[in-house]
Amino acid sequence: MRQLILATLALASSSAIAQYVPNYTYIEAGYARATSDTSLDDLNGAAFRGSANFGNFNFIAGMSRFNVDNNPFVDHIRATFAGFGYHVPIASSTDLYAEATYNRYNPIDEDGLGGPVGIRSRFDPRWEGSIGVASAKIKHVYSNTPL
């Protein structure tokens, strides 16, 4: 019984200080990694994205640049994307979010759809974080297209 009371007090005190909601108007930069269903090695690079919030919806746009090491035809792949997202609160400082994006890939000159699903939480006025998974489908990539 003592453990239950301590857990209740801990939850009550954490909810009293967790009055911050995630912010969906931001600019961010980070590390990007992609895997392929083909014989390509894993791709590593950098990603930049921004978002503008409109109620429970947000507009997102960004780009990623991946280095390609083992291909004599292509030394990098640049992916640009734009789309919309939706987020819904699941706790006082945590949201569940989903985004759908249109993606464009150069120099292979292909496009596709993608987007992440995840959880975003704000810890204080300056710090927030998210965890999720993202996927993108490239249309019309034939087996004879050099990547």
Side-chain angles (χ1 to χ4, degrees), residues 59-93:
F59 172 76
I60 52 172
M63 72 164 291
S64 302
R65 185 180 192 278
F66 299 99
N67 296 322
V68 179
D69 293 330
N70 299 328
N71 190 306
F73 303 106
V74 177
D75 64 345
H76 73 278
I77 295 175
R78 186 178 67 244
T80 54
F81 64 89
F84 289 94
Y86 182 76
H87 50 93
V88 60
I90 58 173
S92 61
S93 62

Side-chain angles (χ1 to χ4, degrees), residues 95-117:
D95 285 359
L96 177 65
Y97 71 90
E99 299 171 352
T101 59
Y102 169 77
N103 306 317
R104 184 79 182 144
Y105 303 92
N106 291 317
I108 59 174
D109 201 27
E110 294 291 342
D111 59 359
L113 299 175
V117 174

